[in-house]
């Protein structure tokens, strides 16, 4: 009886599998139309909240609400992207009136954010394409599985077995299948034409000749107001881009000359050491990405290459999909050397996916060995919008993150480096009340331990070094001495991108701004045996482009005499 039941079950499953395939094929047009009409991505273009959907009219659209729509002759077959923009998206933009899009401040912001719009558009298109694939897979599975059940039920109710003996009846089944496919195809067309994406211009359009020669060449609009405003805005934007290019090029020429002249001052790891280049708060600065890459390249040419690039967050300006290009550029700073990174308060979940796609090891609260260095870290639990407020991403705050990472560091092998983005997480990791008070207090010798290791007010730290950023300031590092003879370097990282700490619509940094304040980053040296930091060297970039390669600062005791880091 059991064998017979198994045979019956297998026969039913085989028939169901056939029904699933048939239902999937017949329902494919409906699955496709469902996916197209239900693909929707909420993102931001700069600071403007934007909803991306699909058009089936062979063009793309930028919808500006009652102000009008811009139609761009760009698509993949019949499918184009529709961007519905919900206002300029900055605190000073008033009520979202169309004129606010072309305010001088907004033009400066957006030309800085989208200096090369083609790359930005590609990132948004990739995001929409990924969502379309997801919707298609889901809809095909639902239609196939549910439709398969329906066909299986019909096969049990109808005398289909007798059809096998008649070619005429078999032909009828095929014809019925074709008719069913035609019916689902017709329904799909009706659904697509009735959707928002199936509607084109409702009346005459005006050519936007101001966009000729750009990515949007051939674009039109249904609004004479948009045409008038855009004509003036494009000319102003082109002048702003030229001005930004000239300022960035002049800054970089000065910096490159200084770096070349000071190449002999650049330190590499000594025998028995390895080096780690640090970064924090780059904020997509195209200038400083190039210059940090240049420093890495000069070190590599002199056989002094760091083993790792470690990033303590805020790679981006606002965590939008368009910034994926600069994330990839940051990943290329270290050439073939790996990158360990955490997200800062300006990164989004999309940013962290882009970081991983670019080949970075995105830390998630566990110790990872990257480039021969044990690194522990986690992304900022807070999220901050450009010109906006901050909010927690989940239930955990800075204090909770710091305590959790300390538990991980205490339970596992002591990490060489700990990366957090904000000082509040660092002070919880150190188990002290205020890290700011600690780093602002009078400094002590970085190489001579005190008589009592507790004199610094910090207990033993379960890490070789702790790094944080966020505050965009230059603070002298501190050496914290542990009771076992080891030490921990505590370093607040300055903004590598030279970005303004608290941007407003009248005072802000963009990826194509020259550094608005001093930019700096260190190269840190670790002893291979003790896993302790033995020194660091700072690279400083002033706002006029001049560079200072500071002398190496030794920290801690003699590596060969220091107690080895405790192991579990």
């Amino acid at each position: 009886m059991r064998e017979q039941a198994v045979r019956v079950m297998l026969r039913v499953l085989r028939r169901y599998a056939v029904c699933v395939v048939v239902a999937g094929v017949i329902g494919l047009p409906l699955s496709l139309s469902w996916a197209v009409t239900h693909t929707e991505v909420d993102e931001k273009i700069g600071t403007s909240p934007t909803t991306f959907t699909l058009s089936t009219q062979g063009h793309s659209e930028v919808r500006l609400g009652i102000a009008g729509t811009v139609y761009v002759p760009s698509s993949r077959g019949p499918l184009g992207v529709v961007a519905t923009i919900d206002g300029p998206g900055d605190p000073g933009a008033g009520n979202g009136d169309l004129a606010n899009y072309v305010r001088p401040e907004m033009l400066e912001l957006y030309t800085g954010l989208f200096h090369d719009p083609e790359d930005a558009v590609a990132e948004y298109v990739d995001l929409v394409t990924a969502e379309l694939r997801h919707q298609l897979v889901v809809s095909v599975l639902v239609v196939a599985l549910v439709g398969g059940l329906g066909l299986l039920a019909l096969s049990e109710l109808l005398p289909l077995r007798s059809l096998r003996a008649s070619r005429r009846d078999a032909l009828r089944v095929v014809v019925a299948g074709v008719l069913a496919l035609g019916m689902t195809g017709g329904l799909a067309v009706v659904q697509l034409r009735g959707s928002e994406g199936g509607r084109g211009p409702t009346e005459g359009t005006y050519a936007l000749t101001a966009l000729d020669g750009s990515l949007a060449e051939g674009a039109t609009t249904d609004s004479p107001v948009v045409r008038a405003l855009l004509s003036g805005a494009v000319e102003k934007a082109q002048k702003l881009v030229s001005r930004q290019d000239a300022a960035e090029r002049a800054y970089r020429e000065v910096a490159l000359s200084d770096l070349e002249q000071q190449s002999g001052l650049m330190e590499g790891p000594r025998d028995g050491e390895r080096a780690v280049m640090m970064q924090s708060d780059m904020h997509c600065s195209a200038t400083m990405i190039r210059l940090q890459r240049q420093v890495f390249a000069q070190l590599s040419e002199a056989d002094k290459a760091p083993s790792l690039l470690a990033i303590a967050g805020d790679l981006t300006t606002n965590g939008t999909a368009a910034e994926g290009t600069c994330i990839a550029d940051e990943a290329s700073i270290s050439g073939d050397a790996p990158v360990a990174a955490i997200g800062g308060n300006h990164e989004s979940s999309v940013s962290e996916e882009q970081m991983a796609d670019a080949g970075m090891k995105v830390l998630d609260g566990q110790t990872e060995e990257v480039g021969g260095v044990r690194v522990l870290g986690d992304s900022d639990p807070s999220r901050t919008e450009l010109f906006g407020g901050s909010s927690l991403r989940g239930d955990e705050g800075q204090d909770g993150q710091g305590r959790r990472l300390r538990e991980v560091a205490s339970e596992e092998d002591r990490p060489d480096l700990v990366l957090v983005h904000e000082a509040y997480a660092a002070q919880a990791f150190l188990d002290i009340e205020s890290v700011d008070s600690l780093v602002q207090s009078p400094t002590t010798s970085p190489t001579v331990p005190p008589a009592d290791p507790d004199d610094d007010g910090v207990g033993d730290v379960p890490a070789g070094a702790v790094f944080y950023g966020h505050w965009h300031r230059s603070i002298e590092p501190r050496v914290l001495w542990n009771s076992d003879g080891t030490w921990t370097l505590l370093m607040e990282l300055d903004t590598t991108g030279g970005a303004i700490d608290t941007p407003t619509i009248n005072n802000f940094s963009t990826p194509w701004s020259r550094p608005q304040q001093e930019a700096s980053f260190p190269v840190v040296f670790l002893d291979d045996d003790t896993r302790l930091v033995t020194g660091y060297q700072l690279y400083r970039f002033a706002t006029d482009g001049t560079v200072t390669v500071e002398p190496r600062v030794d920290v801690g005791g003699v590596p060969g005499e220091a107690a080895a880091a405790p192991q579990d």
Side-chain angles (χ1 to χ4, degrees):
M1 291 292 293
R2 180 176 298 177
E3 292 181 359
Q4 183 177 1
V6 170
R7 285 197 299 271
V8 171
M9 179 62 69
L10 290 175
R11 185 167 59 250
V12 171
L13 288 175
R14 283 195 296 269
R15 293 176 63 187
Y16 178 57
V18 173
C19 291
V20 165
V21 172
V22 173
V25 172
I26 293 176
L28 188 59
L30 286 177
S31 299
L32 182 58
S33 64
W34 170 273
V36 169
T37 56
H38 287 78
T39 292
E40 183 174 307
V41 175
D42 291 318
E43 247 294 332
K44 286 198 171 185
I45 298 179
T47 61
S48 301
T50 304
T51 300
F52 292 91
T53 53
L54 290 172
S55 164
T56 59
Q57 297 298 301
H59 64 245
S60 295
E61 302 178 14
V62 180
R63 296 178 180 175
L64 303 171
I66 60 174
T69 300
V70 174
Y71 302 96
V72 182
S74 177
S75 64
R76 293 180 180 176
L79 296 181
V81 175
V82 177
T84 304
I85 301 176
D86 184 19
D90 78 272
N95 60 5
D97 182 41
L98 180 61
N100 287 310
Y101 286 99
V102 293
R103 293 164 56 213
E105 299 92 340
M106 291 300 288
L107 284 176
E108 186 171 354
L109 171 66
Y110 280 85
T111 53
L113 291 175
F114 300 109
H115 205 76
D116 188 352
E118 186 170 356
D119 290 338
V121 169
E123 295 289 346
Y124 289 118
V125 170
D126 288 347
L127 206 61
V128 174
T129 302
E131 178 62 16
L132 174 61
R133 290 196 188 103
H134 170 73
Q135 292 289 347
L136 183 59
V137 169
V138 170
S139 59
V140 167
L141 286 175
V142 170
V143 169
L145 294 175
V146 175
L149 285 175
L151 288 178
L152 181 64
L154 283 175
S155 70
E156 294 294 331
L157 294 174
L158 298 177
L160 296 180
R161 292 181 180 179
S162 62
L163 297 178
R164 297 175 184 171
S166 170
R167 291 186 177 180
R168 180 179 298 177
D169 289 337
L171 181 60
R172 289 175 180 173
V173 171
V174 172
V175 170
V178 172
L179 290 175
L181 184 61
M183 183 178 65
T184 58
L187 291 173
V189 170
V190 171
Q191 183 181 23
L192 290 172
R193 288 182 175 176
S195 67
E196 282 290 324
R199 302 173 187 176
T202 55
E203 51 189 45
T205 58
Y206 306 87
L208 295 174
T209 55
L211 296 178
D212 288 351
S214 73
L215 189 65
E217 183 171 2
T220 59
T221 181
D222 57 8
S223 168
V225 178
V226 169
R227 181 179 63 171
L229 285 175
L230 194 57
S231 297
V234 169
E235 182 179 356
K236 293 177 183 177
Q238 289 171 339
K239 291 180 180 178
L240 281 171
V241 168
S242 296
R243 187 191 311 163
Q244 290 167 355
D245 279 344
E248 190 277 335
R249 187 166 51 252
Y251 182 97
R252 189 156 39 89
E253 286 175 356
V254 172
L256 289 172
S257 176
D258 274 12
L259 285 174
E260 185 62 32
Q261 292 176 20
Q262 299 178 71
S263 59
L265 302 177
M266 298 180 181
E267 295 270 5
R270 297 168 182 167
D271 289 343
E273 290 183 340
R274 69 181 59 230
V276 178
M277 182 176 282
M278 306 300 301
Q279 180 198 116
S280 185
D281 298 274
M282 180 66 86
H283 292 293
C284 274
S285 169
T287 305
M288 287 307 302
I289 289 173
R290 292 174 177 178
L291 291 174
Q292 191 172 34
R293 184 188 296 124
Q294 176 63 26
V295 172
F296 202 102
Q298 287 185 221
L299 289 169
S300 298
E301 290 171 4
D303 293 326
K304 303 174 182 178
S307 303
L308 173 69
L309 172 65
I311 303 177
D314 274 6
L315 296 79
T316 67
T317 299
N318 202 30
T320 62
E323 294 171 279
T325 300
C326 84
I327 288 175
D329 288 342
E330 290 183 60
S332 71
I333 287 172
S334 58
D336 294 332
V339 181
I342 60 171
N345 60 304
H346 284 286
E347 271 73 71
S348 63
S349 57
V350 171
S351 304
E352 294 199 15
E353 291 176 6
Q354 291 172 329
M355 290 160 65
D357 290 343
M360 297 182 184
K361 180 60 183 180
V362 183
L363 304 175
D364 59 0
Q366 297 299 318
T367 302
E368 303 284 351
E369 182 160 329
V370 190
V373 181
R374 293 193 298 267
V375 192
L376 170 64
D378 206 349
S379 296
D380 198 319
S382 299
R383 171 81 168 103
T384 304
E385 302 282 352
L386 184 62
F387 309 132
S390 299
S391 60
L392 290 178
R393 304 174 197 261
D395 296 330
E396 184 180 65
Q398 303 290 343
D399 190 62
Q401 181 187 73
R403 290 198 306 269
R404 172 171 55 82
L405 292 177
R406 184 181 178 94
E407 289 178 4
V408 173
S410 300
E411 293 171 358
E412 300 179 356
D413 288 349
R414 169 177 165 153
D416 305 329
L417 310 179
V418 170
L419 301 180
V420 292
H421 184 62
E422 300 199 31
Y424 306 111
Q427 70 191 24
F429 181 87
L430 296 172
D431 195 22
I432 60 176
E433 291 186 2
S434 173
V435 75
D436 191 42
S437 297
L438 175 62
V439 298
Q440 301 266 23
S441 63
T443 59
T444 57
S445 171
T447 57
V448 180
D452 184 352
D454 292 333
D455 284 350
D456 55 20
V458 183
D460 289 349
V461 181
V466 177
F467 297 91
Y468 65 93
H470 184 62
W471 279 343
H472 295 217
R473 63 184 189 177
S474 178
I475 296 288
E476 186 175 352
R478 300 298 297 262
V479 176
L480 308 175
W481 299 92
N482 301 315
S483 60
D484 61 359
T486 64
W487 58 89
T488 300
L489 179 70
L490 173 64
M491 180 176 279
E492 178 178 322
L493 298 170
D494 194 4
T495 165
T496 309
I500 292 173
D501 176 31
T502 307
T504 66
I505 190 60
N506 295 310
N507 186 27
F508 53 84
S509 300
T510 71
W512 284 92
S513 302
R514 57 193 295 169
Q516 304 293 294
Q517 65 179 62
E518 182 187 75
S520 71
F521 60 86
V523 173
V524 178
F525 305 101
L526 290 80
D527 183 79
D528 283 332
D529 293 331
T530 64
R531 320 292 295 192
L532 299 173
V533 174
T534 52
Y536 63 86
Q537 183 174 39
L538 278 173
Y539 294 77
R540 297 186 183 275
F541 296 76
T543 54
D544 62 357
T546 56
V547 180
T548 303
V549 179
E550 295 193 349
R552 168 172 167 154
V553 177
D554 290 327
V555 302
V558 179
E561 298 176 0
Q567 305 289 319
D568 291 339

